[in-house]
Amino acid sequence: MPDSTLRRGVFTAIGVLILCVMLFPVYWMINASLQPSGNTLTAGFLPLDPTFAGYRRALSEQGQNLVTSMIIALGTVVLSLLVSAPCAYALSQFRSRWVGAGLLAILVSQMIPGIVIANALYTAYENLGLLNSVPGLIVANCSSGIPFAILILRSFLQSLPASLVEAARVDGAGLVRAFVSIVLPISKNSLITAGLFTFLFSWSDFLFALTLTTKGDVRPVTLGIYQYLGTQVQNWNAVMATAVLSAIPAIVLLIAAQKYIAAGAIGGAVK
Amino acid sequence: MVHAPTRPSRSEAPATQAVRRAGGRRRRSEDLTKLLFVLPAAIAMLALFGYPVVKNLVMSLQDYGLRTFFTGAAPFVGLDNYVTVVTDRLFSKALVNTALFTIGSIAFQFAIGLGLALFFRRKFPLSSLLRSLLLLPWLLPLIVSSATWRSILEQDNGILNRSLAGLGIINEPVPWLNSPSVALIAVIGVNIWIGIPFNVTLLYSGLSEIPDELYEAGSLDGATGWKAFLHITMPNLRAVAGVVLVLGVVYTIKVLDIILGLTGGGPANATQTLATQSYERSFVDFKFGEGAALSNILIVLSLLFAIVYLRGTRRAVDE
């Protein structure tokens, strides 16, 4: 029916328009990052004369900070998944009156402002010597990673048929072995999903970077951008280039996680 | 079976007992293993949430300041910190701003999010691709969004003012982030932009779960268009909408990154909220007792909202 085809075409056009409006700031960030140095805000709508001067400056001044952010984010992913996966399995498969309490605790934890955690961790880290340290920031970032990973993994593991693990148990596998050799491999996709999001939370962290570092030696890139905003607004191309570099994980996740979220439902392993 | 009976058994009873005992032992050791599954997470949750909440409560009752870090002394001062922060001339302003910021953000995020979710429910080519690309603003680091919007909203050369002037909508550049009278609106606008994708995603999944049969049956009774929306979509979307709103408020009320990145609470404190005030007291003035008192007020507000809301919806469901 040509009429309905036309209608659907119009809808697609409207959809593209909505997307253009919503993503304009992202485009503008990229555009501004390619402008010559100086006050690039006078930039036109297209980077007709693109230069990578902003990126050169960003990489020389913020390169180390990008590496720091990467190490912290990867550390947060590893620690969060190690802690969350067994707990998510327990919350989904073990029958206990504590399950409800555990879930409630996780939900209530979402109401606690980061500043409360920062207040307490600052004073504790001061005594433990964890201020200005990568491990200190990894632990702090787990406060967003762990609850989220538990919820994601649990919702997947709930659909896991108990018979799978029981079969292994009958063959003599202990609880731990069954978990490691059966549950974890089946959960690969949801582990990746939880890991990608945890990475992103930690990579995006600004509050803990701001409050739990006092010197310049450990400085995640979010803090680097913040300090740029305070001092470097004459070099918008470098600020925007750093912003673009910091946005890359989000863009990659958007493309990669699409697949993993779709595959999140129980895969071919059971069927 | 370490303790298997050594003496020859006259009957089967002791043997079965032993098996049962061994089974009990295995169950106990398995209970221990099960505990080990939860223990790391329990410790992490206690350290990252339990300890901070308790520590904040204690700190809020102490004169916990810069001196404390040198001398270790944090004298108990009762409710002094709460009195100090509540009677501060900025408190009512921060409270009003927090309310405006939260309500303004949530209302528009939800309305626009619902509109877009309804739009994307129509089947058209590229619909799901466009919908997933729409998530990008939500996934970007908040400080990246803040930096980008600062460049867009810049008063003299920002693209927004240049475009508005070019279209003849404004004569004078609008000082989006530099004027106390518009800064809060600009900050709310940016936060709406950040929150739309989250609302679209959750509301879209809520809409997808409403069975098509309901609309088919409704259309037989003449419920189409607005009527279908009011009598079929809205009631069936209630649970999901509730989750979106509660989560939205709980997350928005504590927003800090965006405001610090855009305005730092200024100009002339026009964008100070309870969260930014709490940050400033703790980490700029190093008055941790007062900062803790403010953040505790923030938690209580958040909890109160969640409880009132959940009560309300339960009553609505009961009726």
Side-chain angles (χ1 to χ4, degrees), chain A residues 133-215:
Chain A
S133 76
V134 169
L137 286 175
I138 289 177
V139 168
N141 282 327
C142 280
S143 65
S144 55
I146 289 176
F148 180 82
I150 292 177
L151 291 178
I152 283 259
L153 293 172
R154 177 180 170 272
S155 77
F156 167 76
L157 288 169
Q158 268 187 316
S159 61
L160 190 76
S163 56
L164 256 181
V165 172
E166 274 160 21
R169 302 295 308 280
V170 168
D171 293 344
L175 203 52
V176 176
R177 228 188 81 200
F179 176 71
V180 171
S181 60
I182 295 174
V183 176
L184 285 186
I186 292 183
S187 319
K188 195 184 102 199
N189 283 344
S190 57
L191 282 169
I192 292 177
T193 306
L196 286 170
F197 275 98
T198 303
F199 180 91
L200 204 60
F201 289 155
S202 180
W203 175 268
S204 309
D205 162 66
F206 168 63
L207 179 62
F208 294 130
L210 179 66
T211 53
L212 301 180
T213 64
T214 51
K215 293 179 282 188

Side-chain angles (χ1 to χ4, degrees), chain B residues 20-301:
Chain B
R20 201 173 298 145
R21 259 203 311 278
R25 209 161 28 243
R26 194 203 284 161
R27 198 167 307 132
R28 261 195 306 282
S29 96
E30 190 159 307
D31 280 349
L32 197 71
T33 316
K34 284 184 174 179
L35 190 66
L36 288 178
F37 270 74
V38 223
L39 203 59
I43 292 173
M45 293 296 287
L46 281 177
L48 292 171
F49 296 103
Y51 165 74
V53 167
V54 173
K55 177 75 181 171
N56 262 260
L57 269 176
V58 175
M59 271 201 292
S60 73
L61 302 174
Q62 290 174 318
D63 179 10
Y64 204 116
L66 203 50
R67 210 168 353 119
T68 311
F69 290 101
F70 294 112
T71 63
F76 179 82
V77 292
L79 294 175
D80 280 8
N81 288 323
Y82 289 92
V83 174
T84 308
V85 297
V86 170
T87 54
D88 188 277
R89 63 186 176 81
L90 272 180
F91 179 77
S92 55
K93 179 163 204 156
L95 194 63
V96 171
N97 282 350
T98 306
L100 290 175
F101 179 76
T102 306
I103 296 169
S105 299
I106 299 295
F108 284 95
Q109 283 172 6
F110 185 84
I112 299 171
L114 182 58
L116 291 181
L118 286 166
F119 173 75
F120 281 108
R121 277 297 289 158
R122 298 167 182 271
K123 303 275 177 289
F124 56 85
L126 298 181
S127 159
S128 73
L129 176 71
L130 294 176
R131 192 164 42 82
S132 52
L133 289 177
L134 201 64
L135 274 173
L136 190 55
W138 185 50
L139 297 177
L140 290 178
L142 292 173
I143 203 75
V144 167
S145 302
S146 299
T148 305
W149 277 99
R150 255 177 80 158
S151 79
I152 293 172
L153 296 174
E154 216 260 350
Q155 185 175 350
D156 296 323
N157 297 305
I159 188 65
L160 184 61
N161 275 346
R162 277 196 282 143
S163 305
L164 290 177
L167 293 169
I169 297 173
I170 55 170
N171 294 321
E172 290 290 307
V174 180
W176 294 109
L177 297 172
N178 305 329
S179 151
S181 54
V182 286
L184 186 62
I185 296 172
V187 171
I188 293 172
V190 173
N191 195 46
I192 292 170
W193 176 76
I194 291 167
I196 287 173
F198 171 76
N199 281 263
V200 174
T201 307
L202 264 69
L203 292 171
Y204 180 89
S205 81
L207 288 175
S208 317
E209 276 163 25
I210 303 176
D212 286 338
E213 292 81 34
L214 284 182
Y215 291 101
E216 285 159 18
S219 73
L220 293 179
D221 296 336
T224 50
W226 263 110
K227 273 189 187 158
F229 178 75
L230 275 181
H231 298 294
I232 302 171
T233 310
M234 286 310 271
N236 283 289
L237 200 59
R238 191 183 229 152
V240 174
V243 171
V244 174
L245 288 173
V246 172
L247 285 181
V249 169
V250 165
Y251 287 128
T252 308
I253 204 169
K254 60 184 189 183
V255 160
L256 188 61
D257 311 34
I258 303 161
I259 302 179
L260 283 185
L262 284 173
T263 62
N269 295 314
T271 53
Q272 291 281 5
T273 62
L274 293 179
T276 61
Q277 276 285 292
S278 170
Y279 161 76
E280 280 197 3
R281 280 178 196 266
S282 290
F283 291 99
V284 178
D285 306 338
F286 282 96
K287 289 176 180 164
F288 278 84
E290 295 177 8
L294 262 178
S295 56
N296 287 340
I297 294 175
L298 198 61
I299 296 184
V300 169
L301 287 178

Side-chain angles (χ1 to χ4, degrees), chain A residues 216-227:
Chain A
D217 35 2
V218 173
R219 179 180 293 170
V221 71
T222 47
L223 194 55
I225 295 178
Y226 182 64
Q227 277 158 351

Side-chain angles (χ1 to χ4, degrees), chain A residues 8-184:
Chain A
R8 287 167 23 150
V10 170
F11 282 135
T12 303
I14 298 174
V16 171
L17 192 69
I18 292 172
L19 195 72
C20 286
V21 171
M22 279 297 287
L23 296 192
F24 174 77
V26 180
Y27 168 73
W28 196 250
M29 167 175 81
I30 297 167
N31 180 28
S33 74
L34 293 169
Q35 301 293 335
S37 70
N39 192 342
T40 61
L41 288 180
T42 49
F45 274 92
L46 290 171
L48 292 176
D49 186 17
T51 152
F52 288 93
Y55 285 89
R56 269 194 294 278
R57 187 177 180 136
L59 283 175
S60 74
E61 290 178 357
Q62 304 273 3
Q64 180 57 44
N65 300 343
L66 285 162
V67 173
T68 304
S69 282
M70 183 62 78
I71 294 170
I72 292 172
L74 290 175
T76 308
V77 171
V78 172
L79 188 58
S80 291
L81 290 185
L82 277 178
V83 169
S84 307
C87 177
Y89 178 66
L91 287 178
S92 69
Q93 302 285 329
F94 299 169
R95 262 172 231 106
S96 158
R97 61 207 154 95
W98 291 99
V99 168
L103 284 173
L104 186 69
I106 292 171
L107 292 178
V108 170
S109 76
Q110 299 303 298
M111 278 187 203
I112 297 168
I115 189 71
V116 167
I117 301 169
N119 268 339
L121 288 187
Y122 182 88
T123 54
Y125 280 12
E126 170 86 17
N127 295 324
L128 298 169
L130 282 171
L131 285 179
N132 302 305
S133 76
V134 169
L137 286 175
I138 289 177
V139 168
N141 282 327
C142 280
S143 65
S144 55
I146 289 176
F148 180 82
I150 292 177
L151 291 178
I152 283 259
L153 293 172
R154 177 180 170 272
S155 77
F156 167 76
L157 288 169
Q158 268 187 316
S159 61
L160 190 76
S163 56
L164 256 181
V165 172
E166 274 160 21
R169 302 295 308 280
V170 168
D171 293 344
L175 203 52
V176 176
R177 228 188 81 200
F179 176 71
V180 171
S181 60
I182 295 174
V183 176
L184 285 186

